[in-house]
Amino acid sequence: MSKPEVVAIGTDAGSTTCKLVAVGQGGEVLGSRLEATQPHIELQVGELLGQLRSELGVDGPVPCVATGYGRKLVKDATRSVTEITCHARGVFRDLGHGGTLVDIGGQDSKVIRLGNNGKPVDFMMNDKCAAGTGRFLEYTSARLGVPIDELGRRALSTDREEPITSTCTVFAESEIISLLARGVALEAILRGLHRALVGRIVAMVHNVGLTPPLMLSGGVAHNEAVRALIEEATGERVLLPREPQLMGAYGAALLGTEGKSAA
Amino acid sequence: MPIADRLTARKAIIERVRGLGRKVVAVLPFHYPRALLRAYRLHPIEVWGPPNVPRDKGSQHFQAYTCDIVLKATSFLLRGGMDPVDAILVPHTCDALQGMASVTADFLKPRQPVLTLYLPRGCRDSDRAFLIAELRRLAGCCAEISGHKPNEADWAEAFAAEEAADRALASLYQRRPRLALSDRDFYTAVRSREFLTAEDFGELAASLPEGDPPADGVGLMLSGIVAEPLELFDRINEMGAHVVADDLACGYRRVYPPAAESDPFARIAAQLLACPPDPTRGSPIEQRVAALRSRMRESGAQGLLIYDVKFCEPELFDIPLLRKHLAAAGLPVLHVEFEMGMTVSRQVLTRIEAFVETLQ
């Protein structure tokens, strides 16, 4: 049986991770790459692209759509599109309906209201401050010495919660140090930190207007405490696509298939 | 040739108007009586920042949440940027500018007199009477600076010149769809009214070529105080969009209609009060929404980009209601805040680009 043909490749050059997704004629994912973003993003994307093309046997030119904060640096891109449109397209394709999409990335977070056709109707971004983004969790996980993929589980392991009142990541760190010095349990601090992050996200959700269902994409979607606390704050169940972290690159790849049958 | 290359530098203009027997006034944004200044032999050069001036010296005198226009204008003053002018006029556009006028006059004490103009927040008879009294008070200050008291002929000449320039500005906006100008060139021409004489502005406006506009794609309407830096227009064009109309304080909000009152102060007051609605004059939200809807429909704008200088309170107060009413009318709105500088931040551009993508 011959290998399925790669019709387009999407590249999401994010601030924390760099993602690539290759899709076939029907929009199915044929291959992907994900690794931590390096300083020379243009070289990194070029290398990952070469690996993916080689793995999937892509010899000729295929459309390559770039998204993410480094999208303008991707030399092989045939087109660049913002993360908002790409995440919307990817999640709509994966889950099959409109609603309210929350994308929490490493450097910014977005709330996107999707129409029934999958197009963004309205959106809001927090990109001025690390609070409310994955960076907030990364920063505090490093300070507390808890691996990032354990943060959510540890936060949910207790009913106690220590409120974090600082809205700034840097000041929150000082507050954590004070709480630890007072002997407050680590899990209670973690739960409070997640609550603070979710508070910012939910405020954005209400600003855009919550149209159910609520969906979550981006790397932070893997954090079970974020999901649980968003559900608690909004009263809505949170739906996840199959690969939340790849949705930007997947959406970019789908946009690359426009004019062909997949999109 | 880009319009910017055709414009006379401000320094040369100052020398030229001095040769005509006029003194020069630095004017902060944005409603003020041009005909009055001219009748009193004064020439305005407006100060909107400027964007390339560091905030440092201004930041020493104001709270951290003061807008860049005030911070940078104060820095500009303290760095000697206003040394060539004979007076500084600060209209009461907002509390931040009123604060700047007080701080400048009471604490910074520049060698030039600092003039104020308190603008009313409504269009009632009492507002009109208040504005007329304010204009008379300002006229007294102007007479002290220039040493000239205008006669009837001076007033007639001043109204003829400034109203002709107002008509030229209105005509520029009417001709916008037919002008073979990029967005950057169009707004460079519009904003040259901030420092050119009325005659030079009229001549420039009349000389602008008609033909196929170079920009195409999604039509946007721009709202806010000032669209800085001008690079913004290039970036918008690169995104596949262009600016088809505006509700900018440095633009359409100063399209003043003519008035017929015989008393010069009443005539200026009538003009200032009859310009398009804006939040700094306390225009009711219904009037703003109606005006924006109507202009968006006429110009074919597909979305409204509210581009606000950070911490601009008068503009921010209206945002939730503008969003609500325009969304109800099916008109998409994007609100972004920017810090005034020589480049547009990546985050701001990403938001605008995403907005354009939703409209494509």
Side-chain angles (χ1 to χ4, degrees), chain A residues 69 71-72 81-85 107 119-120 122-123 125 127-128, chain B residues 323 333-334 337 346-348 350-351 353-355 357-360:
Chain A
Y69 96 101
R71 64 188 179 278
K72 308 279 186 195
V81 181
T82 65
E83 306 89 291
I84 289 147
T85 300
Q107 190 171 265
K119 282 194 77 174
D122 199 0
F123 66 90
M125 283 177 85
D127 51 19
K128 290 177 184 163
Chain B
R323 280 179 69 100
V333 177
L334 175 70
E337 286 180 277
R346 182 192 64 79
Q347 289 95 333
V348 165
T350 292
R351 286 171 198 221
E353 196 174 350
F355 185 55
E357 285 169 3
T358 64
L359 301 174
Q360 275 165 343

PDB file of all heavy atoms in Angstrom, chain A residues 69 71-72 81-85 107 119-120 122-123 125 127-128, chain B residues 323 333-334 337 346-348 350-351 353-355 357-360:
ATOM      1  N   TYR A  69       4.054  33.144  17.238  1.00  0.00           N
ATOM      2  CA  TYR A  69       4.722  34.445  17.305  1.00  0.00           C
ATOM      3  C   TYR A  69       5.906  34.542  16.350  1.00  0.00           C
ATOM      4  O   TYR A  69       6.270  35.616  15.894  1.00  0.00           O
ATOM      5  CB  TYR A  69       5.137  34.743  18.761  1.00  0.00           C
ATOM      6  CG  TYR A  69       6.568  34.394  19.089  1.00  0.00           C
ATOM      7  CD1 TYR A  69       7.543  35.400  19.133  1.00  0.00           C
ATOM      8  CD2 TYR A  69       6.954  33.085  19.313  1.00  0.00           C
ATOM      9  CE1 TYR A  69       8.871  35.074  19.411  1.00  0.00           C
ATOM     10  CE2 TYR A  69       8.256  32.764  19.591  1.00  0.00           C
ATOM     11  CZ  TYR A  69       9.219  33.754  19.641  1.00  0.00           C
ATOM     12  OH  TYR A  69      10.519  33.439  19.902  1.00  0.00           O
ATOM     13  N   ARG A  71       5.957  33.338  13.299  1.00  0.00           N
ATOM     14  CA  ARG A  71       5.483  32.946  11.963  1.00  0.00           C
ATOM     15  C   ARG A  71       6.173  33.706  10.829  1.00  0.00           C
ATOM     16  O   ARG A  71       6.349  33.173   9.737  1.00  0.00           O
ATOM     17  CB  ARG A  71       3.959  33.110  11.860  1.00  0.00           C
ATOM     18  CG  ARG A  71       3.453  34.534  11.998  1.00  0.00           C
ATOM     19  CD  ARG A  71       1.930  34.570  12.087  1.00  0.00           C
ATOM     20  NE  ARG A  71       1.419  35.927  12.233  1.00  0.00           N
ATOM     21  CZ  ARG A  71       1.361  36.576  13.394  1.00  0.00           C
ATOM     22  NH1 ARG A  71       1.814  35.985  14.494  1.00  0.00           N
ATOM     23  NH2 ARG A  71       0.891  37.798  13.457  1.00  0.00           N
ATOM     24  N   LYS A  72       6.534  34.953  11.098  1.00  0.00           N
ATOM     25  CA  LYS A  72       7.148  35.741  10.021  1.00  0.00           C
ATOM     26  C   LYS A  72       8.598  35.330   9.778  1.00  0.00           C
ATOM     27  O   LYS A  72       9.216  35.789   8.829  1.00  0.00           O
ATOM     28  CB  LYS A  72       7.113  37.228  10.377  1.00  0.00           C
ATOM     29  CG  LYS A  72       5.755  37.773  10.769  1.00  0.00           C
ATOM     30  CD  LYS A  72       4.882  38.087   9.572  1.00  0.00           C
ATOM     31  CE  LYS A  72       3.593  38.754  10.028  1.00  0.00           C
ATOM     32  NZ  LYS A  72       2.565  38.787   9.022  1.00  0.00           N
ATOM     33  N   VAL A  81      -0.399  33.067   8.978  1.00  0.00           N
ATOM     34  CA  VAL A  81      -1.753  33.322   9.492  1.00  0.00           C
ATOM     35  C   VAL A  81      -1.647  33.404  11.023  1.00  0.00           C
ATOM     36  O   VAL A  81      -0.805  32.716  11.614  1.00  0.00           O
ATOM     37  CB  VAL A  81      -2.724  32.181   9.088  1.00  0.00           C
ATOM     38  CG1 VAL A  81      -4.135  32.452   9.587  1.00  0.00           C
ATOM     39  CG2 VAL A  81      -2.746  31.997   7.584  1.00  0.00           C
ATOM     40  N   THR A  82      -2.473  34.222  11.644  1.00  0.00           N
ATOM     41  CA  THR A  82      -2.367  34.358  13.101  1.00  0.00           C
ATOM     42  C   THR A  82      -2.825  33.082  13.817  1.00  0.00           C
ATOM     43  O   THR A  82      -3.601  32.281  13.283  1.00  0.00           O
ATOM     44  CB  THR A  82      -3.222  35.528  13.625  1.00  0.00           C
ATOM     45  OG1 THR A  82      -4.577  35.233  13.376  1.00  0.00           O
ATOM     46  CG2 THR A  82      -2.821  36.842  12.993  1.00  0.00           C
ATOM     47  N   GLU A  83      -2.387  32.979  15.073  1.00  0.00           N
ATOM     48  CA  GLU A  83      -2.735  31.824  15.897  1.00  0.00           C
ATOM     49  C   GLU A  83      -4.251  31.731  16.103  1.00  0.00           C
ATOM     50  O   GLU A  83      -4.799  30.638  16.262  1.00  0.00           O
ATOM     51  CB  GLU A  83      -2.098  31.930  17.289  1.00  0.00           C
ATOM     52  CG  GLU A  83      -0.602  32.145  17.315  1.00  0.00           C
ATOM     53  CD  GLU A  83      -0.226  33.612  17.295  1.00  0.00           C
ATOM     54  OE1 GLU A  83      -0.446  34.271  16.258  1.00  0.00           O
ATOM     55  OE2 GLU A  83       0.295  34.109  18.293  1.00  0.00           O
ATOM     56  N   ILE A  84      -4.910  32.873  16.135  1.00  0.00           N
ATOM     57  CA  ILE A  84      -6.352  32.878  16.416  1.00  0.00           C
ATOM     58  C   ILE A  84      -7.104  32.111  15.330  1.00  0.00           C
ATOM     59  O   ILE A  84      -7.897  31.213  15.614  1.00  0.00           O
ATOM     60  CB  ILE A  84      -6.836  34.338  16.538  1.00  0.00           C
ATOM     61  CG1 ILE A  84      -6.284  34.909  17.851  1.00  0.00           C
ATOM     62  CG2 ILE A  84      -8.354  34.444  16.521  1.00  0.00           C
ATOM     63  CD1 ILE A  84      -5.957  36.343  17.817  1.00  0.00           C
ATOM     64  N   THR A  85      -6.814  32.450  14.098  1.00  0.00           N
ATOM     65  CA  THR A  85      -7.484  31.771  12.987  1.00  0.00           C
ATOM     66  C   THR A  85      -7.090  30.290  12.946  1.00  0.00           C
ATOM     67  O   THR A  85      -7.935  29.415  12.709  1.00  0.00           O
ATOM     68  CB  THR A  85      -7.119  32.463  11.660  1.00  0.00           C
ATOM     69  OG1 THR A  85      -7.563  33.815  11.737  1.00  0.00           O
ATOM     70  CG2 THR A  85      -7.758  31.787  10.467  1.00  0.00           C
ATOM     71  N   GLN A 107       3.099  32.129  26.104  1.00  0.00           N
ATOM     72  CA  GLN A 107       3.356  33.559  26.253  1.00  0.00           C
ATOM     73  C   GLN A 107       2.093  34.397  26.246  1.00  0.00           C
ATOM     74  O   GLN A 107       2.106  35.561  26.639  1.00  0.00           O
ATOM     75  CB  GLN A 107       4.263  34.005  25.101  1.00  0.00           C
ATOM     76  CG  GLN A 107       4.816  35.396  25.243  1.00  0.00           C
ATOM     77  CD  GLN A 107       5.871  35.661  24.183  1.00  0.00           C
ATOM     78  OE1 GLN A 107       7.052  35.494  24.411  1.00  0.00           O
ATOM     79  NE2 GLN A 107       5.432  36.068  22.995  1.00  0.00           N
ATOM     80  N   LYS A 119     -15.512  29.854  11.903  1.00  0.00           N
ATOM     81  CA  LYS A 119     -14.741  31.098  11.781  1.00  0.00           C
ATOM     82  C   LYS A 119     -14.783  31.870  13.093  1.00  0.00           C
ATOM     83  O   LYS A 119     -15.822  31.920  13.763  1.00  0.00           O
ATOM     84  CB  LYS A 119     -15.307  31.982  10.661  1.00  0.00           C
ATOM     85  CG  LYS A 119     -14.910  31.518   9.282  1.00  0.00           C
ATOM     86  CD  LYS A 119     -15.195  32.572   8.236  1.00  0.00           C
ATOM     87  CE  LYS A 119     -14.170  33.675   8.246  1.00  0.00           C
ATOM     88  NZ  LYS A 119     -14.322  34.645   7.180  1.00  0.00           N
ATOM     89  N   PRO A 120     -13.680  32.508  13.471  1.00  0.00           N
ATOM     90  CA  PRO A 120     -13.711  33.322  14.686  1.00  0.00           C
ATOM     91  C   PRO A 120     -14.670  34.500  14.517  1.00  0.00           C
ATOM     92  O   PRO A 120     -14.644  35.183  13.499  1.00  0.00           O
ATOM     93  CB  PRO A 120     -12.279  33.839  14.808  1.00  0.00           C
ATOM     94  CG  PRO A 120     -11.457  33.002  13.900  1.00  0.00           C
ATOM     95  CD  PRO A 120     -12.377  32.519  12.822  1.00  0.00           C
ATOM     96  N   ASP A 122     -15.351  36.622  17.404  1.00  0.00           N
ATOM     97  CA  ASP A 122     -14.787  37.650  18.289  1.00  0.00           C
ATOM     98  C   ASP A 122     -13.649  36.981  19.060  1.00  0.00           C
ATOM     99  O   ASP A 122     -13.626  35.758  19.198  1.00  0.00           O
ATOM    100  CB  ASP A 122     -15.867  38.156  19.256  1.00  0.00           C
ATOM    101  CG  ASP A 122     -15.498  39.505  19.871  1.00  0.00           C
ATOM    102  OD1 ASP A 122     -14.404  40.033  19.548  1.00  0.00           O
ATOM    103  OD2 ASP A 122     -16.279  40.033  20.674  1.00  0.00           O
ATOM    104  N   PHE A 123     -12.744  37.790  19.538  1.00  0.00           N
ATOM    105  CA  PHE A 123     -11.648  37.206  20.309  1.00  0.00           C
ATOM    106  C   PHE A 123     -11.079  38.230  21.267  1.00  0.00           C
ATOM    107  O   PHE A 123     -11.304  39.424  21.130  1.00  0.00           O
ATOM    108  CB  PHE A 123     -10.543  36.679  19.379  1.00  0.00           C
ATOM    109  CG  PHE A 123      -9.835  37.767  18.609  1.00  0.00           C
ATOM    110  CD1 PHE A 123      -8.707  38.396  19.123  1.00  0.00           C
ATOM    111  CD2 PHE A 123     -10.302  38.171  17.366  1.00  0.00           C
ATOM    112  CE1 PHE A 123      -8.064  39.398  18.416  1.00  0.00           C
ATOM    113  CE2 PHE A 123      -9.663  39.177  16.654  1.00  0.00           C
ATOM    114  CZ  PHE A 123      -8.543  39.786  17.175  1.00  0.00           C
ATOM    115  N   MET A 125      -7.277  38.744  23.609  1.00  0.00           N
ATOM    116  CA  MET A 125      -5.952  38.193  23.898  1.00  0.00           C
ATOM    117  C   MET A 125      -5.370  38.837  25.136  1.00  0.00           C
ATOM    118  O   MET A 125      -5.556  40.033  25.353  1.00  0.00           O
ATOM    119  CB  MET A 125      -4.992  38.494  22.740  1.00  0.00           C
ATOM    120  CG  MET A 125      -5.165  37.622  21.541  1.00  0.00           C
ATOM    121  SD  MET A 125      -4.047  38.127  20.228  1.00  0.00           S
ATOM    122  CE  MET A 125      -2.564  37.253  20.667  1.00  0.00           C
ATOM    123  N   ASP A 127      -1.746  39.389  26.155  1.00  0.00           N
ATOM    124  CA  ASP A 127      -0.362  39.180  25.738  1.00  0.00           C
ATOM    125  C   ASP A 127       0.560  40.245  26.326  1.00  0.00           C
ATOM    126  O   ASP A 127       1.654  40.452  25.879  1.00  0.00           O
ATOM    127  CB  ASP A 127      -0.251  39.200  24.212  1.00  0.00           C
ATOM    128  CG  ASP A 127      -0.896  40.419  23.608  1.00  0.00           C
ATOM    129  OD1 ASP A 127      -1.097  41.391  24.339  1.00  0.00           O
ATOM    130  OD2 ASP A 127      -1.188  40.398  22.401  1.00  0.00           O
ATOM    131  N   LYS A 128       0.049  40.922  27.361  1.00  0.00           N
ATOM    132  CA  LYS A 128       0.861  41.994  27.930  1.00  0.00           C
ATOM    133  C   LYS A 128       1.518  41.556  29.226  1.00  0.00           C
ATOM    134  O   LYS A 128       2.367  42.244  29.757  1.00  0.00           O
ATOM    135  CB  LYS A 128      -0.014  43.205  28.219  1.00  0.00           C
ATOM    136  CG  LYS A 128      -0.490  43.895  26.966  1.00  0.00           C
ATOM    137  CD  LYS A 128      -1.397  45.032  27.349  1.00  0.00           C
ATOM    138  CE  LYS A 128      -1.974  45.672  26.097  1.00  0.00           C
ATOM    139  NZ  LYS A 128      -3.129  46.484  26.412  1.00  0.00           N
TER     140      LYS A 128
ATOM    141  N   ARG B 323     -18.904  48.709  21.847  1.00  0.00           N
ATOM    142  CA  ARG B 323     -18.823  47.292  21.445  1.00  0.00           C
ATOM    143  C   ARG B 323     -20.208  46.659  21.439  1.00  0.00           C
ATOM    144  O   ARG B 323     -20.591  45.965  20.509  1.00  0.00           O
ATOM    145  CB  ARG B 323     -17.921  46.512  22.404  1.00  0.00           C
ATOM    146  CG  ARG B 323     -16.442  46.675  22.159  1.00  0.00           C
ATOM    147  CD  ARG B 323     -15.657  45.886  23.179  1.00  0.00           C
ATOM    148  NE  ARG B 323     -15.815  44.456  22.987  1.00  0.00           N
ATOM    149  CZ  ARG B 323     -14.932  43.671  22.367  1.00  0.00           C
ATOM    150  NH1 ARG B 323     -13.826  44.181  21.902  1.00  0.00           N
ATOM    151  NH2 ARG B 323     -15.152  42.386  22.224  1.00  0.00           N
ATOM    152  N   VAL B 333     -15.983  44.828  16.017  1.00  0.00           N
ATOM    153  CA  VAL B 333     -15.152  45.855  16.654  1.00  0.00           C
ATOM    154  C   VAL B 333     -13.922  45.185  17.264  1.00  0.00           C
ATOM    155  O   VAL B 333     -14.032  44.127  17.887  1.00  0.00           O
ATOM    156  CB  VAL B 333     -15.932  46.565  17.795  1.00  0.00           C
ATOM    157  CG1 VAL B 333     -15.042  47.578  18.512  1.00  0.00           C
ATOM    158  CG2 VAL B 333     -17.178  47.257  17.252  1.00  0.00           C
ATOM    159  N   LEU B 334     -12.773  45.790  17.071  1.00  0.00           N
ATOM    160  CA  LEU B 334     -11.572  45.360  17.792  1.00  0.00           C
ATOM    161  C   LEU B 334     -11.020  46.560  18.548  1.00  0.00           C
ATOM    162  O   LEU B 334     -10.863  47.640  17.969  1.00  0.00           O
ATOM    163  CB  LEU B 334     -10.491  44.848  16.827  1.00  0.00           C
ATOM    164  CG  LEU B 334      -9.166  44.502  17.519  1.00  0.00           C
ATOM    165  CD1 LEU B 334      -9.307  43.258  18.388  1.00  0.00           C
ATOM    166  CD2 LEU B 334      -8.033  44.308  16.504  1.00  0.00           C
ATOM    167  N   GLU B 337      -4.936  48.739  22.622  1.00  0.00           N
ATOM    168  CA  GLU B 337      -4.263  49.891  23.222  1.00  0.00           C
ATOM    169  C   GLU B 337      -2.796  49.840  22.821  1.00  0.00           C
ATOM    170  O   GLU B 337      -2.221  48.764  22.725  1.00  0.00           O
ATOM    171  CB  GLU B 337      -4.363  49.832  24.743  1.00  0.00           C
ATOM    172  CG  GLU B 337      -5.743  50.162  25.261  1.00  0.00           C
ATOM    173  CD  GLU B 337      -5.781  50.090  26.772  1.00  0.00           C
ATOM    174  OE1 GLU B 337      -5.943  48.968  27.289  1.00  0.00           O
ATOM    175  OE2 GLU B 337      -5.624  51.119  27.417  1.00  0.00           O
ATOM    176  N   ARG B 346       4.495  43.992  18.244  1.00  0.00           N
ATOM    177  CA  ARG B 346       4.083  42.747  17.575  1.00  0.00           C
ATOM    178  C   ARG B 346       2.710  42.295  18.060  1.00  0.00           C
ATOM    179  O   ARG B 346       1.882  41.828  17.286  1.00  0.00           O
ATOM    180  CB  ARG B 346       5.131  41.664  17.865  1.00  0.00           C
ATOM    181  CG  ARG B 346       4.860  40.336  17.196  1.00  0.00           C
ATOM    182  CD  ARG B 346       5.757  39.257  17.740  1.00  0.00           C
ATOM    183  NE  ARG B 346       5.524  38.997  19.150  1.00  0.00           N
ATOM    184  CZ  ARG B 346       4.515  38.257  19.626  1.00  0.00           C
ATOM    185  NH1 ARG B 346       3.641  37.734  18.800  1.00  0.00           N
ATOM    186  NH2 ARG B 346       4.381  38.064  20.932  1.00  0.00           N
ATOM    187  N   GLN B 347       2.473  42.433  19.389  1.00  0.00           N
ATOM    188  CA  GLN B 347       1.191  41.988  19.936  1.00  0.00           C
ATOM    189  C   GLN B 347       0.028  42.761  19.320  1.00  0.00           C
ATOM    190  O   GLN B 347      -0.997  42.186  18.971  1.00  0.00           O
ATOM    191  CB  GLN B 347       1.173  42.173  21.449  1.00  0.00           C
ATOM    192  CG  GLN B 347       2.068  41.214  22.202  1.00  0.00           C
ATOM    193  CD  GLN B 347       3.433  41.820  22.493  1.00  0.00           C
ATOM    194  OE1 GLN B 347       3.899  42.685  21.761  1.00  0.00           O
ATOM    195  NE2 GLN B 347       4.068  41.368  23.552  1.00  0.00           N
ATOM    196  N   VAL B 348       0.216  44.063  19.183  1.00  0.00           N
ATOM    197  CA  VAL B 348      -0.847  44.885  18.595  1.00  0.00           C
ATOM    198  C   VAL B 348      -1.086  44.465  17.145  1.00  0.00           C
ATOM    199  O   VAL B 348      -2.231  44.312  16.706  1.00  0.00           O
ATOM    200  CB  VAL B 348      -0.472  46.392  18.688  1.00  0.00           C
ATOM    201  CG1 VAL B 348      -1.346  47.231  17.780  1.00  0.00           C
ATOM    202  CG2 VAL B 348      -0.581  46.874  20.131  1.00  0.00           C
ATOM    203  N   THR B 350      -0.508  41.565  15.786  1.00  0.00           N
ATOM    204  CA  THR B 350      -1.138  40.239  15.715  1.00  0.00           C
ATOM    205  C   THR B 350      -2.648  40.359  15.917  1.00  0.00           C
ATOM    206  O   THR B 350      -3.435  39.717  15.221  1.00  0.00           O
ATOM    207  CB  THR B 350      -0.527  39.298  16.775  1.00  0.00           C
ATOM    208  OG1 THR B 350       0.825  39.041  16.409  1.00  0.00           O
ATOM    209  CG2 THR B 350      -1.275  37.977  16.857  1.00  0.00           C
ATOM    210  N   ARG B 351      -3.041  41.207  16.871  1.00  0.00           N
ATOM    211  CA  ARG B 351      -4.488  41.375  17.096  1.00  0.00           C
ATOM    212  C   ARG B 351      -5.176  41.959  15.866  1.00  0.00           C
ATOM    213  O   ARG B 351      -6.250  41.513  15.462  1.00  0.00           O
ATOM    214  CB  ARG B 351      -4.729  42.319  18.267  1.00  0.00           C
ATOM    215  CG  ARG B 351      -4.442  41.694  19.591  1.00  0.00           C
ATOM    216  CD  ARG B 351      -4.496  42.729  20.672  1.00  0.00           C
ATOM    217  NE  ARG B 351      -3.804  42.220  21.841  1.00  0.00           N
ATOM    218  CZ  ARG B 351      -4.236  42.382  23.081  1.00  0.00           C
ATOM    219  NH1 ARG B 351      -5.328  43.062  23.313  1.00  0.00           N
ATOM    220  NH2 ARG B 351      -3.568  41.900  24.088  1.00  0.00           N
ATOM    221  N   GLU B 353      -4.125  41.832  12.798  1.00  0.00           N
ATOM    222  CA  GLU B 353      -4.080  40.837  11.721  1.00  0.00           C
ATOM    223  C   GLU B 353      -5.181  39.779  11.909  1.00  0.00           C
ATOM    224  O   GLU B 353      -5.854  39.387  10.952  1.00  0.00           O
ATOM    225  CB  GLU B 353      -2.694  40.175  11.715  1.00  0.00           C
ATOM    226  CG  GLU B 353      -2.392  39.412  10.442  1.00  0.00           C
ATOM    227  CD  GLU B 353      -0.955  38.894  10.424  1.00  0.00           C
ATOM    228  OE1 GLU B 353      -0.149  39.269  11.289  1.00  0.00           O
ATOM    229  OE2 GLU B 353      -0.655  38.091   9.528  1.00  0.00           O
ATOM    230  N   ALA B 354      -5.342  39.338  13.168  1.00  0.00           N
ATOM    231  CA  ALA B 354      -6.390  38.345  13.440  1.00  0.00           C
ATOM    232  C   ALA B 354      -7.771  38.941  13.147  1.00  0.00           C
ATOM    233  O   ALA B 354      -8.656  38.262  12.606  1.00  0.00           O
ATOM    234  CB  ALA B 354      -6.311  37.895  14.891  1.00  0.00           C
ATOM    235  N   PHE B 355      -7.955  40.209  13.487  1.00  0.00           N
ATOM    236  CA  PHE B 355      -9.231  40.885  13.221  1.00  0.00           C
ATOM    237  C   PHE B 355      -9.487  40.930  11.706  1.00  0.00           C
ATOM    238  O   PHE B 355     -10.594  40.606  11.244  1.00  0.00           O
ATOM    239  CB  PHE B 355      -9.169  42.301  13.802  1.00  0.00           C
ATOM    240  CG  PHE B 355     -10.443  43.086  13.710  1.00  0.00           C
ATOM    241  CD1 PHE B 355     -11.629  42.586  14.226  1.00  0.00           C
ATOM    242  CD2 PHE B 355     -10.463  44.351  13.125  1.00  0.00           C
ATOM    243  CE1 PHE B 355     -12.804  43.323  14.166  1.00  0.00           C
ATOM    244  CE2 PHE B 355     -11.630  45.090  13.067  1.00  0.00           C
ATOM    245  CZ  PHE B 355     -12.801  44.572  13.581  1.00  0.00           C
ATOM    246  N   GLU B 357      -8.295  38.909   9.504  1.00  0.00           N
ATOM    247  CA  GLU B 357      -8.592  37.536   9.042  1.00  0.00           C
ATOM    248  C   GLU B 357     -10.057  37.174   9.306  1.00  0.00           C
ATOM    249  O   GLU B 357     -10.684  36.501   8.487  1.00  0.00           O
ATOM    250  CB  GLU B 357      -7.679  36.541   9.768  1.00  0.00           C
ATOM    251  CG  GLU B 357      -6.243  36.552   9.263  1.00  0.00           C
ATOM    252  CD  GLU B 357      -5.295  35.759  10.150  1.00  0.00           C
ATOM    253  OE1 GLU B 357      -5.755  35.145  11.139  1.00  0.00           O
ATOM    254  OE2 GLU B 357      -4.086  35.782   9.869  1.00  0.00           O
ATOM    255  N   THR B 358     -10.596  37.639  10.434  1.00  0.00           N
ATOM    256  CA  THR B 358     -12.005  37.305  10.706  1.00  0.00           C
ATOM    257  C   THR B 358     -12.938  38.025   9.727  1.00  0.00           C
ATOM    258  O   THR B 358     -14.062  37.592   9.522  1.00  0.00           O
ATOM    259  CB  THR B 358     -12.436  37.688  12.140  1.00  0.00           C
ATOM    260  OG1 THR B 358     -12.365  39.108  12.278  1.00  0.00           O
ATOM    261  CG2 THR B 358     -11.593  37.024  13.186  1.00  0.00           C
ATOM    262  N   LEU B 359     -12.463  39.122   9.141  1.00  0.00           N
ATOM    263  CA  LEU B 359     -13.323  39.894   8.236  1.00  0.00           C
ATOM    264  C   LEU B 359     -13.171  39.467   6.778  1.00  0.00           C
ATOM    265  O   LEU B 359     -13.971  39.836   5.933  1.00  0.00           O
ATOM    266  CB  LEU B 359     -13.002  41.394   8.352  1.00  0.00           C
ATOM    267  CG  LEU B 359     -13.179  42.017   9.737  1.00  0.00           C
ATOM    268  CD1 LEU B 359     -12.692  43.464   9.751  1.00  0.00           C
ATOM    269  CD2 LEU B 359     -14.634  41.950  10.183  1.00  0.00           C
ATOM    270  N   GLN B 360     -12.094  38.708   6.489  1.00  0.00           N
ATOM    271  CA  GLN B 360     -11.823  38.343   5.085  1.00  0.00           C
ATOM    272  C   GLN B 360     -12.823  37.305   4.594  1.00  0.00           C
ATOM    273  O   GLN B 360     -13.219  36.434   5.361  1.00  0.00           O
ATOM    274  CB  GLN B 360     -10.393  37.808   4.939  1.00  0.00           C
ATOM    275  CG  GLN B 360      -9.399  38.940   4.764  1.00  0.00           C
ATOM    276  CD  GLN B 360      -7.961  38.511   4.984  1.00  0.00           C
ATOM    277  OE1 GLN B 360      -7.687  37.467   5.560  1.00  0.00           O
ATOM    278  NE2 GLN B 360      -7.033  39.343   4.547  1.00  0.00           N
TER     279      GLN B 360
END
